[in-house]
Amino acid sequence: HLPACTDLFLEPINTMGRSVLWAAVVAVAVCAHLTAAATNLNPTDASPNFVLFPCSQEDFYISYKYDPLSFQEIEIKSSNSSNGNTIEMLVNNGLPGSDAVILPPCVVGDNKACSVDLTCELADGNNEWFIYVINRDSDPVEFNITTFSRVLKPAALQLNKPVTFDGEVAGTDFGTENVFYQIPIQPPSEFAMVNFTVYDVGPDEDSVAIAVVNPFSVASTNIAETSCDLFPLETPGTLILTACDLENIEPDGGSVTWFVSVAPKSYQSNFTFTIVASVDDYVITELTEGEATPVEFISKEDDVLYYSIAAPPIPDGEDSAAQQLNISVVDVQGGQVNVSYAANYLPWQECKPEVSAPCLSETRCDLVVPACDVQQDVYYIAVAGQKLAAANQPLAFRVNVSYADQPSTKVATKIKNGVYFAGSVHENQYRHFVFSPNGYKESADTYLDVQLYVDATDFGPTTLFVNADALAGTSGTSCLEHFSRCKVQALGSCVVQLFSCDYSDYGTWYVSVLGGDAANYFGSGTRFTLRAGLQDPRKLSDESVIEYGNVYSGEYDQWVVRDSMLDEGEIIYVEVASVVGGDISVWENRDQLAGDSCETRACYDAIAPPASVWPDGSGAGRATSYTMELKRCSDDDEDYFIGVRGEGAPNGAEYTMTLVRDAGPVQPLATISAGELITGTLTEGDGARTNFTLADGGTSKRLVVTLTLLQAPDEGQLTLRLLSGDLLNCAGEVGSCTTGGANDVSTCQVVLQPCEFSALDGAMAQLSGDHGTLYNLKYEVYSPSTASLKSGVAVAGELHYKEYAFYKLAVKSLNSTLVVEAYFDNDMGVAASLYVSTLPDAGRSPCYTFDAPSCTSAEKCVYIVNACDIQKTTYYMSVYTSASVLRPYPELKYTLRATQQDALVPVEFQSVNAMEIYQGQRIFHTLEVDNIDSDAGEIVAIHLGAVQRGSVQLYVSYGSPLAHCPCFEHSHTLAAAAGDAVQTLTLAYCELTQTGTWTLEVVGEKAAADPAQLIGYTLSIQNLAQDPAPLAVGDTVEASARNGRYKYFEVKGVAPTDQVTLEVTDVRGGSVSVF
């Protein structure tokens, strides 16, 4: 045990594979005391005095034999702590395999004692205890430990017989002495309560410090925190031990011996009180099934009367009863009752779950236990006086309990299709119905509407259930299930709709109405109207006829426009408007009912999110109408469905549906051919003459459609739309351009590349704009071709808007670099792009492909393929412009050159090589070394300099350069940039030991201004090889050395025992280092 004041730092020791050891470094030397083995204590003896050094600890062990009448304490006392020193006693048990019980610490100071009560812990079976005494101060402290084991003789109590204590209560070292009592009690039933009452306390009512009641063993009042099941007893006052308390103490309901401890606040010479123990049991009236009780009375609020009834029997071999249990409290007068029930225990016990929601009523309560929920045994019913109408008048009622067979389908009343049924229902009762189609001719889109109207109710809510092939209900109030349901909270309506995919899956549909599941019951119940009817989507009639609809919250109206109403390419507009009473949501769909596809078991779908339509004046920004465009664009027979749903309107939302047919043209009236020039004027109301079919639609050629504005009103403009297809209303736009307007653009073009044009299912040109505009319209088609290039030979050409010029070059050598250069006429002020690919042809998607990176510039583009990456294949190139050159037939001049350069450039000693390189390009200089001229000092200098317009990087390696592709390895590097002095790399004899080919790779690192700019540099190799000059002892030699160069000397004839002195003198022109 290490005292808490000891600071420990644990560090692992390297054990070289042996068991791990840990080093404990004690930070405070004075705290480094370890205690010896624990000292055994006898339960009845006092220990000798112990001296406890600072920051040290003494351990003790004690074992008890449990006696329920014994009172066990451990006392610690210090004999020299008057100087303010303190010691602390910690007590815990350490039984193997169990969680330790740690008692609160006991702190002693100033010559005082403290004690720990173990009585309740021993009652729990914890008999072995460890005691740790710790001195946390800086001076030694002397102490001893005494264990007390006192066998008590509690006075006996008898039920319902008061006992009075009157006498002297002396104080002890542990506080005031306790007065003890005991009584064994066997509860007469599982619902009984045990009461302990203390009264006539003297000399005054505040004389008692604390009184506690504990089962099975005596309890001390000295310790606030123990494991005892202590129940505090108010004095004067009564402790009521409920059935829940007794069940927690003795779950089997057996006899329990209870111990009472009472302690005064201080020494009392005439301490007095009276105590009595009693048992209360509930009066439970046994009911007879089917017979009502006589009139029962409750004279005080919150008083409760209890009743019992045997549960309906469960037949042999069955999982549930065949009958349900009906509980009714009727003829309520003079106030309000609160009714609840539970199986096998009394309702409203705090330790038991509530089985039923309480029923509060001033007239009657009806509770139902469904047959499938019936538990075998006894049901207990509680009736409480919730509220009395008059203080001097009791609350009266009668109780009736009966068994009833589960309802079968025979009880269901038939409701015919579309016929209204008016009826009523009591609280927690069902009215069952079965739906009859009554000869309705059903279609694939037929759906069932079941609507409940609550006309009047004395309680609420009222629930509508719908189920397939069996009675409808809910397991909460019956043994029934439901397919769907809705609820009316008070007055109003709700609807359940079964659409075609649900309705047609089953043969018979049952409907039920459940009287409210609320807590109050008044009057005769709920009066309702029920209607169930089949219907098909309502057909929208032809032009400009207004239809009316009304939808409740959550209800759909389904509408349909049959495909036969539209010819191919025609448009019909449907407007939803004039909404009154609440907002609605509108969905569109094709060939299936329309609605929210996110709903569970949805039999409908939607082609777009819903539109919300609001009543007039509902708020700024809220749409008060919604228009749908319905069009037929194929030969497929597709009906158009519209779903309208009410959103929260309790009395329904009214709306109108209006259908209008579009009178515009379906197809262009004119067809034009390639190269044909059309001149026309845009005329108001004559849109048919501004749509043209292109005769060449769908060919694999490049399409160019040109619109020229000849004359227009002030700032008048004209827009050209290129459409795919042959039906105007079904065509999709693939390109557009605009002439005129504030920019005064007289010509614009729409261009499609071959793969885009060939993908069209027909092509149309559509004009729109200001009336009175005079124009020319023309289209042309071109078949693109790919020209072959010769290496290093430039070609020139011109580009039109969105035009590609395609080229190719065959690469035959892998020891080469491909450099593609494109120059553009920047007088045009537009940009063009260069694309390169190994696949035909190079360009943008979707028609072409290119190898990254591409380049776009108004002046020059360069593409590099280095020797390590080049393939022996054909490379495809293109130049292209998409810039809008605002004039007729724009042209962009360009020059293109593709060069296959030798990637290997030899260099020699003592020569200077002036080179140019592009950013990202790699030039491999090769140096052939035939022999090594010297075996001492530096022998080669590589000079990299005269760099212009950027920076370069040099990599040096032995061997052929392309042998390392693409991961080129190097042994030395050198960098140089524009403005730098000549950079030099020197190699000593030990770094240049191999003859053969050495590679000096130069990489264009970064161009200063433009990646397409050439970077200049020079590269030279200098042979520095020299033999050491001989130097004899005693000689004086004059020599010189260039800046940064070595001069070597060799001294011969020196014996190992000689001492040699070397002098370097007369240094001029700088400084030297000697090695």
Side-chain angles (χ1 to χ4, degrees):
H1 301 285
L2 287 172
C5 61
T6 302
D7 296 319
L8 294 181
F9 303 90
L10 300 181
E11 298 178 355
I13 295 177
N14 185 358
T15 61
M16 302 300 290
R18 295 186 295 275
S19 298
V20 175
L21 302 178
W22 291 83
V25 182
V26 182
V28 184
V30 74
C31 294
H33 172 72
L34 297 178
T35 62
T39 302
N40 289 328
L41 296 176
N42 189 294
T44 59
D45 291 345
S47 71
N49 286 343
F50 290 89
V51 175
L52 200 57
F53 290 97
C55 289
S56 63
Q57 174 177 312
E58 194 75 33
D59 300 349
F60 302 89
Y61 168 80
I62 188 170
S63 177
Y64 288 95
K65 183 178 180 181
Y66 171 64
D67 182 347
L69 296 180
S70 66
F71 190 56
Q72 311 288 347
E73 288 180 319
I74 300 174
E75 177 200 55
I76 180 171
K77 188 171 184 180
S78 171
S79 59
N80 70 330
S81 59
S82 60
N83 57 0
N85 293 336
T86 60
I87 57 175
E88 184 174 273
M89 179 171 67
L90 301 176
V91 181
N92 69 274
N93 76 325
L95 296 180
S98 65
D99 294 332
V101 177
I102 302 176
L103 300 183
C106 175
V107 179
V108 181
D110 297 334
N111 268 331
K112 293 184 179 180
C114 69
S115 62
V116 174
D117 186 350
L118 296 179
T119 305
C120 296
E121 304 297 342
L122 296 177
D124 287 345
N126 301 321
N127 298 330
E128 295 184 341
W129 292 88
F130 294 91
I131 305 163
Y132 311 110
V133 181
I134 302 170
N135 181 5
R136 300 189 184 279
D137 290 321
S138 57
D139 297 320
V141 176
E142 187 174 344
F143 73 95
N144 69 344
I145 291 181
T146 304
T147 59
F148 295 92
S149 180
R150 292 181 289 172
V151 177
L152 305 175
K153 294 182 179 180
L157 292 177
Q158 295 182 8
L159 284 176
N160 302 316
K161 293 185 177 181
V163 174
T164 298
F165 177 86
D166 189 356
E168 179 182 7
V169 179
T172 69
D173 288 340
F174 310 106
T176 305
E177 199 172 66
N178 294 264
V179 181
F180 297 98
Y181 297 91
Q182 70 176 8
I183 180 173
I185 298 177
Q186 171 66 58
S189 76
E190 58 183 312
F191 308 124
M193 297 178 292
V194 173
N195 306 318
F196 290 94
T197 302
V198 174
Y199 57 96
D200 292 342
V201 178
D204 56 63
E205 288 189 352
D206 294 332
S207 298
V208 176
I210 186 171
V212 293
V213 178
N214 188 54
F216 303 118
S217 65
V218 294
S220 168
T221 59
N222 293 327
I223 301 301
E225 298 183 17
T226 69
S227 67
C228 289
D229 295 313
L230 297 177
F231 294 91
L233 173 58
E234 291 188 9
T235 55
T238 299
L239 168 66
I240 300 176
L241 299 172
T242 66
C244 290
D245 297 326
L246 300 180
E247 182 179 349
N248 290 334
I249 297 300
E250 182 56 61
D252 295 332
S255 178
V256 174
T257 299
W258 293 89
F259 294 86
V260 182
S261 302
V262 181
K265 288 185 176 180
S266 59
Y267 164 77
Q268 298 284 348
S269 60
N270 58 342
F271 183 47
T272 180
F273 62 89
T274 300
I275 184 169
V276 62
S278 61
V279 174
D280 289 338
D281 205 355
Y282 293 97
V283 176
I284 302 175
T285 301
E286 187 174 346
L287 300 175
T288 301
E289 189 269 330
E291 295 183 7
T293 66
V295 176
E296 304 277 357
F297 296 98
I298 293 178
S299 58
K300 292 192 305 181
E301 290 185 1
D302 298 330
D303 277 2
V304 183
L305 296 183
Y306 293 94
Y307 305 87
S308 67
I309 183 70
I314 298 178
D316 293 340
E318 300 293 333
D319 295 329
S320 61
Q323 294 176 305
Q324 67 184 30
L325 179 62
N326 296 328
I327 302 170
S328 297
V329 176
V330 299
D331 299 336
V332 179
Q333 297 181 12
Q336 186 183 68
V337 294
N338 187 354
V339 184
S340 185
Y341 71 85
N344 303 322
Y345 58 84
L346 295 182
W348 300 326
Q349 293 190 60
E350 60 183 18
C351 58
K352 302 293 185 181
E354 291 293 334
V355 175
S356 69
C359 174
L360 303 174
S361 177
E362 295 178 357
T363 54
R364 64 177 291 163
C365 272
D366 292 293
L367 300 175
V368 177
V369 184
C372 54
D373 292 337
V374 167
Q375 301 181 34
Q376 195 69 6
D377 215 338
V378 177
Y379 273 82
Y380 294 93
I381 303 160
V383 181
Q386 184 71 16
K387 182 173 62 176
L388 269 63
N392 57 355
Q393 180 181 347
L395 174 65
F397 60 89
R398 295 198 303 159
V399 181
N400 185 19
V401 179
S402 61
Y403 303 155
D405 293 335
Q406 277 292 105
S408 67
T409 56
K410 295 180 181 180
V411 304
T413 301
K414 182 182 291 186
I415 52 173
K416 294 182 179 181
N417 177 51
V419 177
Y420 289 89
F421 177 90
S424 63
V425 64
H426 289 295
E427 181 186 26
N428 293 316
Q429 300 296 317
Y430 283 94
R431 289 292 302 271
H432 292 284
F433 305 90
V434 60
F435 172 69
S436 170
N438 201 28
Y440 185 90
K441 187 177 180 180
E442 301 175 15
S443 71
D445 299 322
T446 299
Y447 58 95
L448 174 63
D449 262 359
V450 184
Q451 291 182 319
L452 171 67
Y453 305 86
V454 177
D455 306 311
T457 182
D458 293 325
F459 53 81
T462 306
T463 308
L464 170 68
F465 296 96
V466 178
N467 199 33
D469 298 336
L471 293 181
T474 174
S475 58
T477 55
S478 68
C479 298
L480 306 175
E481 301 295 336
H482 59 272
F483 186 88
S484 186
R485 70 176 179 177
C486 68
K487 184 178 291 187
V488 180
Q489 294 296 332
L491 301 180
S493 65
C494 72
V495 61
V496 170
Q497 291 183 303
L498 300 174
F499 288 96
S500 51
C501 66
D502 291 330
Y503 172 73
S504 60
D505 281 352
Y506 301 93
T508 304
W509 288 93
Y510 289 86
V511 179
S512 69
V513 179
L514 173 62
D517 54 1
N520 294 292
Y521 181 95
F522 304 104
S524 60
T526 296
R527 293 188 298 277
F528 65 90
T529 302
L530 185 67
R531 178 190 180 277
L534 294 173
Q535 55 185 328
D536 279 85
R538 296 169 61 182
K539 295 180 182 179
L540 281 169
S541 57
D542 213 342
E543 301 174 0
S544 301
V545 176
I546 297 178
E547 301 281 356
Y548 295 88
N550 183 86
V551 282
Y552 290 94
S553 179
E555 179 188 10
Y556 281 95
D557 272 353
Q558 294 288 339
W559 301 81
V560 63
V561 176
R562 297 298 180 189
D563 69 292
S564 57
M565 290 188 62
L566 288 89
D567 292 330
E568 193 173 2
E570 281 191 324
I571 291 180
I572 285 180
Y573 297 100
V574 178
E575 182 189 52
V576 184
S578 301
V579 180
V580 178
D583 58 298
I584 60 176
S585 296
V586 183
W587 283 266
E588 303 174 55
N589 201 25
R590 300 287 186 271
D591 256 6
Q592 186 186 11
L593 299 179
D596 189 350
S597 60
C598 294
E599 293 179 356
T600 306
R601 282 283 294 171
C603 300
Y604 32 74
D605 207 340
I607 60 175
S612 295
V613 184
W614 303 79
D616 289 336
S618 59
R622 291 181 170 180
T624 57
S625 66
Y626 175 66
T627 301
M628 291 156 280
E629 180 185 86
L630 310 181
K631 56 187 176 183
R632 184 178 178 187
C633 293
S634 67
D635 293 333
D636 297 336
D637 296 333
E638 277 192 330
D639 293 332
Y640 303 84
F641 289 89
I642 302 167
V644 180
R645 186 178 72 185
E647 304 292 352
N651 298 315
E654 299 179 5
Y655 64 94
T656 61
M657 301 281 286
T658 306
L659 181 147
V660 178
R661 190 182 298 272
D662 183 30
V666 174
Q667 291 178 307
L669 300 180
T671 299
I672 58 175
S673 301
E676 180 181 357
L677 181 64
I678 300 295
T679 301
T681 302
L682 209 61
T683 305
E684 185 173 4
D686 195 13
R689 298 191 181 277
T690 59
N691 298 290
F692 305 91
T693 298
L694 276 58
D696 292 272
T699 60
S700 297
K701 297 180 180 180
R702 175 171 169 265
L703 170 69
V704 179
V705 184
T706 303
L707 173 65
T708 302
L709 183 63
L710 302 178
Q711 184 178 344
D714 289 343
E715 296 190 359
Q717 62 182 24
L718 193 61
T719 297
L720 164 66
R721 297 175 65 232
L722 185 62
L723 307 175
S724 172
D726 55 4
L727 298 173
L728 289 171
N729 294 328
C730 300
E733 181 180 306
V734 293
S736 66
C737 70
T738 300
T739 66
N743 294 325
D744 194 23
V745 179
S746 60
T747 298
C748 72
Q749 290 180 326
V750 176
V751 179
L752 295 184
Q753 302 301 328
C755 76
E756 297 173 315
F757 191 31
S758 63
L760 302 186
D761 185 15
M764 296 177 290
Q766 184 180 76
L767 301 180
S768 61
D770 295 310
H771 304 300
T773 304
L774 181 64
Y775 62 87
N776 278 346
L777 179 67
K778 179 182 180 181
Y779 85 89
E780 296 172 294
V781 292
Y782 303 90
S783 297
S785 61
T786 303
S788 296
L789 295 176
K790 292 183 178 180
S791 177
V793 178
V795 296
E798 296 176 345
L799 288 177
H800 294 81
Y801 172 58
K802 288 191 176 180
E803 179 185 9
Y804 285 94
F806 297 107
Y807 299 91
K808 61 183 178 181
L809 175 69
V811 172
K812 301 178 180 179
S813 172
L814 295 179
N815 291 341
S816 62
T817 299
L818 176 62
V819 179
V820 183
E821 300 162 295
Y823 299 87
F824 305 113
D825 182 2
N826 63 356
D827 290 339
M828 299 289 294
V830 297
S833 301
L834 169 66
Y835 300 100
V836 179
S837 174
T838 54
L839 299 174
D841 278 309
R844 291 180 179 176
S845 63
C847 297
Y848 311 111
T849 184
F850 66 91
D851 299 333
S854 63
C855 168
T856 299
S857 172
E859 296 182 0
K860 179 182 179 182
C861 279
V862 175
Y863 187 89
I864 304 292
V865 184
N866 285 300
C868 281
D869 304 313
I870 205 165
Q871 304 177 42
K872 189 180 290 186
T873 186
T874 297
Y875 279 82
Y876 296 86
M877 292 145 269
S878 71
V879 286
Y880 168 84
T881 180
S882 61
S884 298
V885 182
L886 305 179
R887 68 182 191 185
Y889 306 103
E891 298 174 353
L892 176 65
K893 295 180 174 59
Y894 68 89
T895 301
L896 179 69
R897 179 173 61 196
T899 306
Q900 188 175 354
Q901 300 176 355
D902 194 338
L904 308 183
V905 179
V907 294
E908 298 178 351
F909 285 105
Q910 313 304 125
S911 64
V912 177
N913 300 269
M915 303 292 295
E916 286 186 319
I917 191 171
Y918 282 113
Q919 178 176 307
Q921 184 180 355
R922 296 173 180 267
I923 297 178
F924 300 96
H925 297 278
T926 56
L927 175 66
E928 299 297 332
V929 179
D930 297 329
N931 56 73
I932 307 300
D933 294 334
S934 174
D935 60 357
E938 296 177 327
I939 58 176
V940 171
I942 302 173
H943 303 290
L944 182 65
V947 178
Q948 300 176 1
R949 300 178 300 278
S951 60
V952 294
Q953 187 83 25
L954 171 68
Y955 299 91
V956 180
S957 179
Y958 176 77
S960 174
L962 301 185
H964 300 287
C965 289
C967 300
F968 191 70
E969 299 177 353
H970 61 275
S971 57
H972 296 82
T973 64
L974 187 64
D980 293 346
V982 175
Q983 304 296 307
T984 299
L985 171 67
T986 58
L987 300 178
Y989 73 95
C990 59
E991 298 175 289
L992 195 66
T993 59
Q994 296 172 286
T995 59
T997 302
W998 283 76
T999 298
L1000 286 73
E1001 178 190 7
V1002 177
V1003 178
E1005 196 71 13
K1006 184 175 180 60
D1010 187 343
Q1013 187 179 40
L1014 280 168
I1015 307 169
Y1017 69 93
T1018 60
L1019 179 68
S1020 61
I1021 314 296
Q1022 182 181 2
N1023 190 343
L1024 301 180
Q1026 58 174 301
D1027 293 326
L1031 180 62
V1033 176
D1035 287 352
T1036 298
V1037 175
E1038 289 189 4
S1040 63
R1042 293 182 59 188
N1043 190 32
R1045 295 285 180 266
Y1046 285 90
K1047 181 68 176 180
Y1048 301 105
F1049 301 89
E1050 183 177 10
V1051 181
K1052 295 183 177 181
V1054 179
T1057 57
D1058 290 344
Q1059 176 178 318
V1060 179
T1061 300
L1062 174 67
E1063 288 185 353
V1064 179
T1065 62
D1066 199 16
V1067 178
R1068 301 182 301 277
S1071 61
V1072 296
S1073 298
V1074 183
F1075 303 91

